[in-house]
Amino acid sequence: MKTHHLSRHPSILNKYLAEIRDVQIQKDRMRFRRNIERIGEFIANEISKTFVYKPVKVTTPLGEKTILLPDEKIVICSVLRAGLPLHNGLLNIFDDAASAFISAYRKHTDEHHFDILVEYLATPDLTGKTLMLVDPMLATGRSLESVYRVLTAYGKPAKFHVISVIAAEEGIKHLESFMPEKSELWVADIDPFLNDKSYIVPGLGDAGDLAFGEKLE
């Protein structure tokens, strides 16, 4: 698996990352969601540089112009609910992509241990598609592993892209243990470790709660 650490080279992406991490700014839910969405748009643009393109002739009012256009059949699959703002950002750029949605959440057995439960899935046929797996926080990687294994029953994609906002090094290593060799991880920033509750440190907190409000356990 190839990892693209996008904030390694300073850009406007750093501003969005600073704001979603800031404990004061992130209290504004609308701004938090929009920043996650903008990060999705930024990542989408970077991914588009890897696509296969084909020449297409476009007729203008004054003539014709041949333009290279993407030749990819994209499915964006987001992990509910935290993945929704990031999904929207990708869909703003890949506006003709199909969408899939899957639930994957931690069911705690005690304060420090949990299982990953997948209870909902809506997806098109994935055969031959460019599949983008979207989860803003890549902590242990176990949620994405569960998602990946469920999705394999719905067709064999031609390409895999995993898209996250912040990833822990441990989660990246876990992804490398099961994702196809030619898959690619696109992550805005990488943090060094997880705490004893498997939360990313320094991270930003619970992305789903920050985007949509706290939930009942």
Side-chain angles (χ1 to χ4, degrees):
M1 184 182 74
K2 183 177 182 179
T3 297
H4 303 268
H5 183 183
L6 298 176
S7 65
R8 179 174 294 172
H9 304 289
S11 70
I12 192 60
L13 177 64
N14 289 20
K15 179 178 185 293
Y16 310 150
L17 285 167
E19 291 190 359
I20 63 172
R21 289 185 189 266
D22 189 296
V23 293
Q24 297 302 320
I25 296 175
Q26 66 179 205
K27 292 177 182 178
D28 182 341
R29 287 181 194 161
M30 184 172 68
R31 190 168 177 179
F32 182 85
R33 290 193 302 270
R34 180 57 186 137
N35 276 326
I36 295 291
E37 191 175 345
R38 292 197 291 181
I39 290 171
E41 293 167 353
F42 184 97
I43 294 175
N45 181 65
E46 294 301 307
I47 294 175
S48 74
K49 298 174 185 178
T50 71
F51 285 174
V52 173
Y53 286 79
K54 65 178 181 181
V56 175
K57 190 172 292 185
V58 176
T59 301
T60 80
L62 300 176
E64 291 184 335
K65 176 69 176 181
T66 299
I67 301 175
L68 292 174
L69 296 180
D71 189 21
E72 307 267 338
K73 295 180 179 178
I74 300 168
V75 176
I76 304 170
C77 181
S78 291
V79 178
L80 299 173
R81 63 182 169 152
L84 291 175
L86 191 57
H87 187 108
N88 287 340
L90 293 162
L91 206 56
N92 287 345
I93 305 305
F94 305 133
D95 54 8
D96 56 353
S99 292
F101 299 96
I102 190 167
S103 68
Y105 67 96
R106 297 180 179 188
K107 180 68 174 179
H108 284 271
T109 54
D110 59 41
E111 187 177 1
H112 302 292
H113 300 89
F114 57 87
D115 297 319
I116 302 296
L117 298 185
V118 175
E119 296 182 339
Y120 173 83
L121 171 65
T123 183
D125 181 7
L126 301 175
T127 303
K129 305 295 177 57
T130 296
L131 177 60
M132 300 182 180
L133 300 179
V134 179
D135 195 356
M137 305 298 287
L138 171 55
T140 66
R142 288 171 54 191
S143 293
L144 277 174
E145 180 180 10
S146 297
V147 166
Y148 169 76
R149 299 201 184 285
V150 169
L151 288 173
T152 55
Y154 294 87
K156 184 177 180 180
K159 298 179 182 178
F160 281 99
H161 295 282
V162 178
I163 299 160
S164 290
V165 175
I166 298 174
E169 292 179 1
E170 179 179 325
I172 294 173
K173 289 180 182 178
H174 187 66
L175 251 63
E176 292 171 343
S177 71
F178 66 85
M179 289 297 294
E181 183 179 352
K182 292 185 179 181
S183 59
E184 300 188 49
L185 168 64
W186 301 82
V187 59
D189 208 359
I190 298 174
D191 284 355
F193 62 92
L194 303 175
N195 65 15
D196 60 356
K197 294 184 178 181
S198 296
Y199 294 144
I200 301 173
V201 179
L204 53 75
D206 188 305
D209 286 358
L210 289 167
F212 302 110
E214 293 184 4
K215 59 189 177 298
L216 296 175
E217 293 297 335

